């Protein structure tokens, strides 16, 4: 039976990609690529470099074809590109439905910060409806 103690997860939101790397339940690395929408090929290459460098035993992503996937347009295209890149790697890749366990993404971010205090500095405060969504919210996708 395979053990998946080195997990690389990625998420796409508002034209950017965020990755988190967890080893044995502890957050070890997190990155964000803001130029993802303009250059999906480069983002695909970045994912391949991360896989080669971090040597994960499992890659996790949102299922772009799942019933609960809310991605549209360029974000959906970018997610599909990265899912295909992950599928091409010699590492187990699973696509998950993104559960909606919290009232909003800000509450979800706060809960994740309690679990992983290392990333608490990037936890965004809820914005007014007329303000732009914080880029750091992608980490919590």
């Amino acid at each position: 039976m395979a053990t998946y103690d080195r997990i690389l997860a990625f998420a796409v939101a508002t034209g950017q990609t965020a990755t988190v790397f967890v080893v044995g339940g502890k957050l070890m690395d997190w990155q964000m690529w803001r130029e993802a929408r303009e250059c999906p090929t480069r983002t695909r290459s970045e994912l391949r470099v991360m896989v080669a460098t971090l040597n994960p035993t499992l890659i996790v992503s949102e299922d772009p074809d799942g019933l609960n996937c809310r991605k549209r347009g360029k974000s959906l295209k970018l997610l599909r590109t990265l899912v295909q890149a992950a599928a091409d790697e010699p590492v187990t890749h699973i696509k998950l439905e993104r559960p909606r366990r919290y009232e909003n993404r800000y509450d979800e971010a706060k809960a994740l910060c309690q679990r992983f205090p290392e990333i608490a500095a990037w936890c965004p405060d809820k914005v007014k409806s007329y303000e732009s969504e914080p880029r750091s919210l992608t980490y919590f996708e």
Side-chain angles (χ1 to χ4, degrees):
M1 182 172 180
T3 60
Y4 301 114
D5 59 342
R6 301 173 60 83
I7 302 169
L8 177 65
F10 64 85
V12 173
T14 56
Q16 59 193 2
T17 301
T19 61
V20 293
F21 183 58
V22 178
V23 177
K26 183 173 180 181
L27 185 62
M28 300 301 288
D29 186 42
W30 55 93
Q31 298 182 26
M32 188 175 305
W33 309 319
R34 290 191 174 100
E35 66 282 342
R37 181 175 47 208
E38 288 77 24
C39 192
T41 304
R42 182 172 176 209
T43 303
R44 183 182 180 118
S45 296
E46 292 280 351
L47 180 65
R48 287 183 172 158
V49 168
M50 287 191 80
V51 169
T53 305
L54 299 173
N55 194 27
T57 53
L58 179 67
I59 301 173
V60 179
S61 68
E62 182 175 358
D63 185 355
D65 301 314
L67 297 174
N68 294 325
C69 184
R70 296 182 181 179
K71 305 285 186 264
R72 299 291 178 262
K74 292 180 181 180
S75 291
L76 181 59
K77 182 178 178 182
L78 181 58
L79 178 60
R80 284 188 172 140
T81 298
L82 289 172
V83 164
Q84 183 59 51
D88 292 343
E89 293 295 323
V91 177
T92 301
H93 172 234
I94 59 172
K95 299 178 284 185
L96 301 173
E97 292 281 331
R98 187 166 180 267
R100 308 287 177 194
R101 296 185 184 132
Y102 299 91
E103 188 175 323
N104 57 56
R105 294 191 302 168
Y106 297 97
D107 291 345
E108 183 175 17
K110 286 179 185 173
L112 285 168
C113 285
Q114 289 175 352
R115 170 71 174 91
F116 300 105
E118 305 91 339
I119 204 167
W122 286 273
C123 188
D125 292 324
K126 194 170 183 179
V127 296
K128 307 281 188 223
S129 61
Y130 54 85
E131 295 176 325
S132 296
E133 188 174 84
R135 291 187 179 271
S136 62
L137 197 55
T138 307
Y139 282 124
F140 305 96
E141 279 279 316

